[in-house]
Amino acid sequence: MTSLVQSEAADGTVQLATVRERHLKAPIVLSAATVLLALLFLLVPRSGTSTFRLNDPSSPFALPDVALPTGPTSWVVIVILALLSGLAFLRAWSYRKPSIWLVIAFSVLAVFGFLVWAGAGGLVPVSSLLFGAVSLSVPLVFGALGGVIGERAGVVNVAIEGQLLLGAFSAALLSSVTGSPFIGLLGAMVGGVLVAAVLAAFAIKYLVEQVIVGVVLNVLVSGLTGFLYGALLAPNEAALNTPVRFSRIEIPLLSDIPIIGPVLFNQTFIVYLMFITVAIVAWGLYRTKWGLRVRAVGEHPQAADTVGIKVNATRFWNVLLAGAIAGIGGAYFTLVSVPQFGKDMTAGLGFIALAAVIFGRWDPIRATLAALLFGFATNLQNLLSILKTPIPGEFMLMLPYVVTLLAVAGFAGQIRGPAASGRPYIKS
């Protein structure tokens, strides 16, 4: 990375000098992760055989289980990780950024090495692990997409948590009353839009600090849904809190593909909708007039105004769109995951989705990958409990949040969001 530094010469003239910077953050994080993993293998050695089941044995295209010696395989992985860390340092020393593929390869190998250690004497179901990761990532992906659209339009969407929670409540109520999960899904979108409308009104029209409005909305929705749950849903559970849920839709042949078949092609309607929504948002944000206008009002609203774009109107409607998308994520809790609404059932996942937006650099695809990473960490916590690894249960409960902190602090680097995000626009 290069930057310009302004200096004044002895004769009074201003000179610009180019300063080259070394990108040492990622190599340091990779090295620290390698050392921590090596210490884990050294202090808590495990022996035996780690068996990886790649897919269901009853599948017509079933692959045989892969058995690996735990100790030797773990240390081979450590050696490879050390080499990759050294390569990252070499690239940084020569003023080059670490390749994204190097970081991905390191991450995959580190997770593989950890699973080899954790699975000593046990069975690691790879396909089930990935299936659970995708399922747990659904509300995070929808929430992250809502956050990306909101911030690209210039409004910081801290109210993702409230949008998810009211979406889950509305979906449970309407699906229970009508007996249709699709009506419940529409209700979840309306719930997300209601929260987003309040955020947009206060942030855009009344110029209130956006982060404060978002936090207050989260608390408000938590209290409101908690009150309605206790006063309305709990006493009438059979009629108002027994939503009809989406069932899985298996795509013939594709669902039998080893490893990825069940993960991608044996899912519910909301998961397939997630795939489509990610593709549409990613395409629309960079390839359509709508996306150009959204990015314009989020980066340089004055310039957008001069070419005839109604900045505040564009922001308002896109915040509502972001709320509708986040509301779909809330529907997943009650229409797929849990058979009824529970008080504060989103459990702070809206803030994890906001972290995915930052880690993903306000890009739909990257934010989706970040959300999948956090979902994988959550499901890994469940697998570690089943494998009875010698790790304290309290740490396993912390694992998704530790991964979130490491991802944002360690790999996000010096990133810059949309220039006008969080700044109200007052037409002069």
Side-chain angles (χ1 to χ4, degrees), residues 54 65 84 104 147 178 207 226 332 375 379 387:
L54 302 181
D65 294 346
L84 292 176
I104 292 175
T178 64
L207 310 181
Y332 179 84
N379 199 42
L387 292 175

Side-chain angles (χ1 to χ4, degrees), residues 159 162 194-196 198-200 202 212-222:
L194 290 176
V195 179
V198 178
L199 171 65
F202 278 94
I212 295 177
V213 175
V215 172
V216 171
L217 279 175
N218 290 333
V219 177
L220 173 64
V221 172
S222 175

Side-chain angles (χ1 to χ4, degrees), residues 78-357:
I78 290 295
V79 172
I80 299 175
L81 294 180
L83 292 175
L84 292 176
S85 300
L87 179 59
F89 268 110
L90 287 176
R91 291 182 63 88
W93 198 256
S94 58
Y95 300 100
R96 292 184 295 169
K97 287 184 178 181
S99 169
I100 184 64
W101 297 110
L102 187 149
V103 175
I104 292 175
F106 181 96
S107 303
V108 171
L109 277 172
V111 171
F112 170 71
F114 181 77
L115 288 176
V116 169
W117 173 85
L123 179 68
V124 179
V126 177
S127 185
S128 298
L129 177 62
L130 296 178
F131 180 89
V134 171
S135 299
L136 292 172
S137 301
V138 173
L140 295 175
V141 171
F142 281 112
L145 290 176
V148 168
I149 293 175
E151 294 212 32
R152 283 288 189 172
V155 178
V156 179
N157 191 1
V158 182
I160 298 174
E161 176 75 6
Q163 293 160 4
L164 290 176
L165 189 57
L166 191 57
F169 175 87
S170 303
L173 179 61
L174 290 178
S175 178
S176 300
V177 172
T178 64
S180 171
F182 292 98
I183 299 297
L185 181 61
L186 290 176
M189 297 175 67
V190 172
V193 168
L194 290 176
V195 179
V198 178
L199 171 65
F202 278 94
I204 299 172
K205 183 174 178 58
Y206 298 108
L207 310 181
V208 181
E209 173 60 41
Q210 297 174 9
V211 174
I212 295 177
V213 175
V215 172
V216 171
L217 279 175
N218 290 333
V219 177
L220 173 64
V221 172
S222 175
L224 177 63
T225 54
F227 169 76
L228 292 176
Y229 171 75
L232 186 65
L233 297 191
N236 306 282
E237 182 175 314
L240 301 180
N241 200 17
T242 53
V244 177
R245 298 190 293 167
F246 286 105
S247 57
R248 290 188 191 179
I249 303 174
E250 182 177 353
I251 300 178
L253 296 180
L254 294 178
S255 60
D256 294 325
I257 298 175
I259 302 177
I260 65 170
V263 177
L264 300 179
F265 305 111
N266 187 17
Q267 293 283 2
T268 61
F269 174 80
I270 291 184
V271 178
Y272 293 125
L273 181 61
M274 178 188 73
F275 298 151
I276 296 171
T277 304
V278 171
I280 291 176
V281 172
W283 173 77
L285 200 58
Y286 298 109
R287 301 288 183 179
T288 66
K289 183 185 294 185
W290 164 77
L292 180 61
R293 291 186 174 186
V294 169
R295 289 182 288 124
V297 300
E299 286 289 346
H300 205 307
Q302 291 85 358
D305 194 7
T306 58
V307 296
I309 298 175
K310 297 180 180 179
V311 174
N312 287 333
T314 301
R315 287 183 171 183
F316 188 89
W317 291 112
N318 280 284
V319 170
L320 296 189
L321 174 62
I325 293 175
I328 299 175
Y332 179 84
F333 290 98
T334 49
L335 298 184
V336 176
S337 179
V338 182
Q340 61 183 9
F341 178 81
K343 186 177 180 181
D344 290 328
M345 67 185 309
T346 52
L349 288 183
F351 299 103
I352 302 294
L354 189 60
V357 174

